[in-house]
Amino acid sequence: MYDPTVARLTYRGLLGRRRALILGALPVLLIVISAVVRALTGADDQVAADVLGGFALATMVPIIGVIAGTGAIGPEIDDGSVVYLLAKPVKRPTIIFTKLIVAIAVTMAFSALPTFIAGMILNGNGQQIAVAYTVAALVASIAYAAIFLLLGTITRHAVVFGLVYALVWEALFGSLVSGARTLSVQQWALAVAHKVCDNSLVTSDVSLTTATVLLAAVTVAATWYAGQKLRTLKLAGEE
């Protein structure tokens, strides 16, 4: 289910100079903001939770997921180079699974590690806040990568739809409409984070059981459907 050649090509495409700069911008901004906040307020657990929850998990992780997930396959479909990949004797579900692994790895590297560093800067992992939000970023990276990889497979406007989901559905509706939070990757990840630190500073509107089931279901379903959509692409007659 994993093809090293496909993985190498995907990493090369995702970590090209321009895309790497884009991927690195938000993590650098998070660390800078954390350093400034720590200098101004000192080590404050509530402030640390607010920064990590409000910026790292709610904004940085989904945007990086959009870039990595859609970028793992979207550009190849757009410019037609996916035809050469599909012509190789590699099963299409294997292509999708390999690209998903790469997208997850890139999303985790550019979101979870900076989240942990920011948490250590903000309050030195007081009340396990840094670790909790790092785990949340890791968990969210898996679901986001699967969702946005699917979008990259089914539409040429994957980045737009991805940003709409990340910034409008999760950030806007998720904060205003309680029912929308049940269908929020952010809330699922927060449920896992709450289990890690087990305090009122990290809360979720979704139970851990529900969050775990939905995270697994969405990841598996999105990956399977992306594989099915890739099967329908024709080698001679791309749209």
Side-chain angles (χ1 to χ4, degrees):
M1 290 298 292
Y2 180 85
D3 187 275
T5 301
V6 174
R8 184 174 66 254
L9 293 173
T10 307
Y11 275 118
R12 185 181 301 172
L14 281 178
L15 300 179
R17 182 176 300 178
R18 180 178 299 178
R19 189 169 278 114
L21 289 174
I22 297 174
L23 284 169
L26 285 175
V28 170
L29 180 59
L30 171 64
I31 292 172
V32 170
I33 290 174
S34 300
V36 172
V37 169
R38 175 62 185 265
L40 294 176
T41 65
D44 186 296
D45 294 341
Q46 183 62 61
V47 171
D50 290 342
V51 172
L52 296 180
F55 183 79
L57 190 61
T59 302
M60 183 186 74
V61 180
I63 290 179
I64 290 176
V66 170
I67 297 170
T70 61
I73 195 169
E76 293 175 317
I77 294 177
D78 291 342
D79 63 20
S81 61
V82 72
V83 172
Y84 303 101
L85 180 61
L86 298 181
K88 302 297 182 182
V90 181
K91 294 181 180 179
R92 299 189 182 190
T94 297
I95 294 174
I96 287 296
F97 183 76
T98 301
K99 288 181 174 293
L100 174 64
I101 295 300
V102 173
I104 290 173
V106 171
T107 306
M108 285 181 172
F110 282 89
S111 60
L113 181 58
T115 297
F116 180 73
I117 293 173
M120 295 301 293
I121 292 173
L122 286 164
N123 76 333
N125 195 37
Q127 298 197 58
Q128 295 291 304
I129 291 175
V131 171
Y133 276 103
T134 299
V135 171
L138 290 170
V139 170
S141 294
I142 299 173
Y144 282 134
I147 292 170
F148 299 133
L149 178 64
L150 171 60
L151 285 178
T153 306
I154 64 179
T155 176
R156 294 180 182 274
H157 307 291
V159 173
V160 175
F161 286 114
L163 290 175
V164 167
Y165 173 81
L167 300 180
V168 177
W169 177 264
E170 294 222 341
L172 182 59
F173 283 96
S175 62
L176 299 177
V177 182
S178 59
R181 296 170 192 161
T182 304
L183 300 177
S184 166
V185 174
Q186 178 186 341
Q187 290 298 321
W188 304 342
L190 283 172
V192 179
H194 175 70
K195 179 65 176 180
V196 173
C197 66
D198 196 24
N199 61 56
S200 60
L201 293 174
V202 182
T203 60
S204 173
D205 292 336
V206 182
S207 70
L208 179 61
T209 300
T210 300
T212 303
V213 171
L214 290 174
L215 281 166
V218 166
T219 301
V220 171
T223 304
W224 174 83
Y225 191 58
Q228 295 304 305
K229 293 300 293 183
L230 196 61
R231 287 178 185 272
T232 66
L233 289 178
K234 296 180 175 58
L235 296 180
E238 293 295 314
E239 299 153 355

